[in-house]
Amino acid sequence: MNGAQALIRTLAACGVDVCFTNPGTSEMHFVAALDDVPEVRGVLGLFEGVVTGAADGYARVAGKPAATLLHLGPCLANGWANLHNARRWFTPVVNIVGDHATHHKRFDAPLESDIEALAGALKGWVRVSATSEQLADDAADAVAAATAGRGQVATLVLPADVSWSDARGPAEPRTAPASSARDGNQIDEIADALRRGEPTGLLVGGRVVAGEDGLIAAGRVAAAASAKLLCETFPARLARGAGLPAVERLAYLGELAEWQLAGLRHLVVVDTTAPVSFFAYPGKPGELTPDGCTVHVLGGDGVDPTAALQALAEALGAPADIDRAAAARPDAPTGELTAESMAAAIGHLLPEGAIVSDEGNTSGLFVPGATAGCARHDWLTLTGGSIGQGMPVATGAGVAAQASGDGRKVVNLQADGSALYTIQSLWTQAREGLDVTTVILNNRSYAILNMELARVGATEPGPTALSMLDLGRPDLDFCALATGMGVSAERATTADEFTAAFERALASDGPALVEAILPDTL
Amino acid sequence: MNGAQALIRTLAACGVDVCFTNPGTSEMHFVAALDDVPEVRGVLGLFEGVVTGAADGYARVAGKPAATLLHLGPCLANGWANLHNARRWFTPVVNIVGDHATHHKRFDAPLESDIEALAGALKGWVRVSATSEQLADDAADAVAAATAGRGQVATLVLPADVSWSDARGPAEPRTAPASSARDGNQIDEIADALRRGEPTGLLVGGRVVAGEDGLIAAGRVAAAASAKLLCETFPARLARGAGLPAVERLAYLGELAEWQLAGLRHLVVVDTTAPVSFFAYPGKPGELTPDGCTVHVLGGDGVDPTAALQALAEALGAPADIDRAAAARPDAPTGELTAESMAAAIGHLLPEGAIVSDEGNTSGLFVPGATAGCARHDWLTLTGGSIGQGMPVATGAGVAAQASGDGRKVVNLQADGSALYTIQSLWTQAREGLDVTTVILNNRSYAILNMELARVGATEPGPTALSMLDLGRPDLDFCALATGMGVSAERATTADEFTAAFERALASDGPALVEAILPDTL
């Protein structure tokens, strides 16, 4: 058994059953070993941003990490942006990066680069596997590191000779550390503060909003404390729909977020961070918590945030029963296709159990509202702010849904500009037969940047500046792009066309794309 | 005048007249300032790998650096692979990376990341501009750093508030340091060694092979010393064609390179490095210089390598006149479309002055031979080994050719697998009306990896391994992809079709694409 075989058997033993790959020469023994360990499914991506984003999407839906396989430093760099997105909201990823053989490093061959510096900048766990004998243990440690605490990106650098030399055999999975007890004092202090009856907000995120238990616990605390219940702006996974407590997401625009938070004297923050502005703007604040508002952090390292919320609910004598979102869907829209009518069509048709990968950006503004009363579904957002995540995350979510066999459909709401970063995702969706419906929100511009141009104070932009934010000249034809990658596609220019096309796409079992031609302003 | 305006005026004063951009919110003041300084042309790319690779291609053809404009750490990462390619063969790039405002860094907003670590891993010049008053000087220093010596990637990190705050005005260009004198002792020593009449090789690269003077100097030394004249495997720019001394490129495959170097007792290396294997293979050597062969390095920091070769030629009493490549073109091919007949068609038609961006990989094997006797042209190769460079380099080369007004045409020989990393290049070619003809070498596989799989010793790959190297299921339709980005395209399945389509593409003024459907083996 060589190192690569021991590595992949260890991944399988640790519950990692998918490896998203874009390999090169130094990873050929790993690729060859995939045939020896059919428990680990190899899924090819044509670009590394697809590979890493798919690992993120897979983990968000499957609740366990996937592995990646990348080729040397430049290919880690190609996948780095979506690893940034994963790490910013604690998605576990076992990130395997092949390197030159240990004895080849000193030659400074053309593809030599500082892999550890690139991996280190992800602020996760990094180890260079030194020998084939240690590789299996390194792999088990990497899986344990990826899944420790809230989760992180664990990068294992795999020199080619460590992969091809003889190994002892696979390693055993590591035992997860027991979660520490809740901090009773912390809960008592927060409960005392909330009992004062002052204006209070409860800002939840992370694991709390990923499932029903957390949302109910949050809803109970909010009800007991008459607190405004808010969700972080970009949750990794938000469970929502009819029958679940509804949470209002904090707005992306700092001005709106300040309005949401105005007047609060206490803000309880659970499994997320106190709100800050996404970007800086001249003369505007970075911290969004109002002056005079005390931030209380509930939970911490090793604490189950949902259990902490449940304990707080009990301490406050919260009711067992709370308001849930009522079932309600918009009527099928007719007439012009706009951001609003498109949203109505999606709300009209979104299937029960849908997994929505949302990188709709500006034109997607109305979709959350229009789907709030749909049957239960999950919402995956752009956690780290680096665009080009939506399509890969949908791809990984599609692999997880397909593997689970529960028939869940993936809907990817994808802004046009962002789509072009990782459009290669469509090919993997076609190859793997994934049940992903992509909706391209085509407004022919980086509309969000036109807005940001004004927000930073550049109020009279000239033609050159505007052309840098314009995606016309030439117009992108997403139907042609999809067809070129083997995904069937339709273009919709009216609300009726969109509704019909979206319905047909959902009815098909494999991937499909609907290009919605939208106005360039909301 | 704000910082951004002072910065762009400084770039213009330093001779930087193009900025390839993919901006975000933190770069909006830079974008707005482009209208104030029309001397600097903004060119939008839809993905950062296009932006950085275009800056590389521009510099190789224009002989001066372009600027980039990237958005924060994740977008630097997206462009990192082509910056790696640029830095490995010393192409100057003024790499401007926007950052959060200085007072916003402490909030650890979602897009916060370690830009300096990413930039530092490029092993070039890195500076964070601290104030608007210093920004113009920083910009002048960055241009000087990019163009110092052989050239490098100079990264200037630009916080948003440094961009938007008041500045004094532009800075003056820095004076380039005088190049140091040649090392006479070094030349005498090498001349003495070569006079012994032992088997000798002359391996040249970098600036030597970029133009006629260097090639003639190398040819004269080779003639005087009866030396085998070799060119580095992947030169940034190789001048070639009828009337120029022909140089044989060192092979990518270590086995072939060893054969080229076999028996040499002296290897004179000029503006490149002693040959090493691109990758490691079990049981094969990394250094390719034969045992018992002495490596002599001619030149060094601050030395003009062509002047050093000219001095060596004089020291050896070299003839003034040497052999030049004769004018010769293959006949137009007919019959099956193969790698060989495609190469013949290209050799039959390649226009005088063409700039060839070559990422043809395996299926491109025969093109250099078929074009050796074409009218004079330049050949740009994959310098750093990270695929996805060919299309962006062609794009930047097209901008340089268009700006020069000399009517030079760009031909991009592009392997199918590699094309998918930066296919967004086509859109920029269409928007800017660049005269680039892309030839997609579509063999529906990562053919080079199938070869590498055998070379690393995985001789009986299973179906999963093979599927990871296979680009079929579904087949990519490059004509559809090109059309989707606004570039007209034709598919060719016979040699006659290819010749006709390539001729039509060359005859058009704007971008065009020809998809050559090739066998999956050579």
Side-chain angles (χ1 to χ4, degrees), chain B residues 203-519:
Chain B
L203 177 65
V204 292
R207 293 160 287 185
V208 172
V209 301
E212 185 167 4
D213 291 350
L215 288 169
I216 289 173
R220 290 180 65 210
V221 169
S226 301
K228 183 169 197 171
L229 179 55
L230 294 165
C231 172
E232 62 189 354
T233 309
F234 292 113
R237 175 173 169 167
L238 171 62
R240 65 198 297 274
L244 287 178
V247 291
E248 178 184 329
R249 277 167 64 190
L250 199 69
Y252 164 77
L253 294 177
E255 299 88 327
L256 293 183
E258 282 186 276
W259 180 82
Q260 289 173 297
L261 298 166
L264 297 182
R265 299 300 306 261
H266 301 276
L267 184 65
V268 180
V269 174
V270 194
D271 223 31
T272 184
T273 49
V276 298
S277 175
F278 211 80
F279 292 107
Y281 303 92
K284 292 184 182 163
E287 280 173 316
L288 299 176
T289 309
D291 287 345
C293 177
T294 305
V295 173
H296 309 268
V297 175
L298 176 64
D301 280 351
V303 174
D304 176 340
T306 292
L309 271 169
Q310 286 164 340
L312 181 58
E314 295 306 321
L316 292 170
D321 207 25
I322 51 167
D323 288 346
R324 314 283 185 118
R329 286 181 183 271
D331 293 333
T334 191
E336 273 185 84
L337 185 57
T338 62
E340 211 156 357
S341 63
M342 180 199 69
I346 293 169
H348 186 68
L349 293 168
L350 192 73
E352 182 169 0
I355 301 159
V356 179
S357 174
D358 179 8
E359 194 169 276
N361 301 353
T362 37
S363 289
L365 185 66
F366 300 103
V367 185
T371 53
C374 289
R376 199 176 146 171
H377 57 276
D378 288 299
W379 210 266
L380 317 182
T381 79
L382 177 54
T383 50
S386 184
I387 56 175
Q389 186 194 39
M391 301 183 89
V393 160
T395 306
V399 171
Q402 188 187 59
S404 74
D406 59 10
R408 299 185 72 182
K409 285 181 179 285
V410 178
V411 174
N412 175 203
L413 305 176
Q414 189 59 48
D416 52 352
S418 307
L420 261 291
Y421 288 74
T422 44
I423 190 84
Q424 307 91 335
S425 304
L426 294 172
W427 183 86
T428 299
Q429 294 174 17
R431 166 173 274 208
E432 302 293 332
L434 306 179
D435 198 354
V436 178
T437 293
T438 301
V439 178
I440 297 287
L441 284 55
N442 188 352
N443 60 13
R444 293 165 301 285
S445 87
Y446 288 123
I448 199 163
L449 292 183
N450 274 300
M451 183 184 73
E452 296 286 18
L453 194 63
R455 290 179 78 211
V456 299
T459 46
E460 290 183 13
T464 300
L466 291 176
S467 76
M468 294 297 111
L469 313 181
D470 159 32
L471 298 175
R473 302 182 304 110
D475 284 342
L476 288 155
D477 176 346
F478 284 92
C479 290
L481 295 176
T483 305
M485 299 206 195
V487 171
S488 66
E490 290 190 66
R491 179 172 296 118
T493 58
T494 69
D496 304 81
E497 281 176 14
F498 178 79
T499 307
F502 187 55
E503 188 162 21
R504 276 191 292 272
L506 289 172
S508 76
D509 281 336
L513 181 142
V514 181
E515 181 179 16
I517 303 296
L518 296 169

Side-chain angles (χ1 to χ4, degrees), chain A residues 172-190:
Chain A
E172 295 291 315
R174 306 310 186 213
T175 308
S179 61
S180 61
R182 295 190 306 277
D183 181 342
N185 287 342
Q186 185 193 54
I187 288 166
D188 291 344
E189 283 169 24
I190 295 174

Side-chain angles (χ1 to χ4, degrees), chain B residues 12-313:
Chain B
C14 295
V16 176
D17 49 20
V18 177
C19 179
F20 296 96
T21 76
N22 186 265
T25 300
S26 39
E27 294 76 41
M28 284 299 104
H29 284 87
F30 187 116
V31 169
L34 284 170
D35 282 284
D36 300 320
V37 193
E39 298 89 337
V40 178
R41 172 179 177 186
V43 176
L44 179 62
L46 297 184
F47 176 68
E48 295 86 350
V50 177
V51 167
T52 54
D56 182 350
Y58 178 88
R60 291 197 213 181
V61 172
K64 59 184 179 179
T68 64
L69 180 65
L70 304 173
H71 176 52
L72 302 170
C75 303
L76 170 57
N78 279 341
W80 198 94
N82 274 334
L83 292 170
H84 164 90
N85 284 326
R87 78 111 175 153
R88 289 302 313 207
W89 255 240
F90 309 101
T91 306
V93 177
V94 179
N95 183 42
I96 301 174
V97 184
D99 195 5
H100 285 307
T102 50
H103 55 271
H104 200 70
K105 300 281 290 177
R106 67 188 171 92
F107 298 126
D108 195 32
L111 274 165
E112 179 64 35
S113 69
D114 191 345
I115 296 176
E116 287 177 79
L118 288 169
L122 289 165
K123 312 290 182 200
W125 180 96
V126 182
R127 187 182 295 171
V128 180
S129 193
T131 70
S132 303
E133 286 75 23
Q134 292 172 4
L135 176 56
D137 279 320
D138 292 335
D141 289 346
V143 178
T147 52
R150 292 183 66 179
Q152 64 181 335
V153 177
T155 300
L156 181 62
V157 180
L158 177 61
D161 54 333
V162 172
S163 193
W164 78 49
S165 300
D166 289 343
R168 280 195 299 265
E172 294 294 314
R174 305 312 186 212
T175 308
S179 62
S180 61
R182 294 190 306 277
D183 181 342
N185 287 341
Q186 184 193 52
I187 288 166
D188 291 343
E189 282 170 23
I190 295 174
D192 285 346
L194 299 196
R195 286 194 196 96
R196 285 177 220 151
E198 294 174 325
T200 297
L202 174 60
L203 177 65
V204 292
R207 293 160 287 185
V208 172
V209 301
E212 185 167 4
D213 291 350
L215 288 169
I216 289 173
R220 290 180 65 210
V221 169
S226 301
K228 183 169 197 171
L229 179 55
L230 294 165
C231 172
E232 62 189 354
T233 309
F234 292 113
R237 175 173 169 167
L238 171 62
R240 65 198 297 274
L244 287 178
V247 291
E248 178 184 329
R249 277 167 64 190
L250 199 69
Y252 164 77
L253 294 177
E255 299 88 327
L256 293 183
E258 282 186 276
W259 180 82
Q260 289 173 297
L261 298 166
L264 297 182
R265 299 300 306 261
H266 301 276
L267 184 65
V268 180
V269 174
V270 194
D271 223 31
T272 184
T273 49
V276 298
S277 175
F278 211 80
F279 292 107
Y281 303 92
K284 292 184 182 163
E287 280 173 316
L288 299 176
T289 309
D291 287 345
C293 177
T294 305
V295 173
H296 309 268
V297 175
L298 176 64
D301 280 351
V303 174
D304 176 340
T306 292
L309 271 169
Q310 286 164 340
L312 181 58

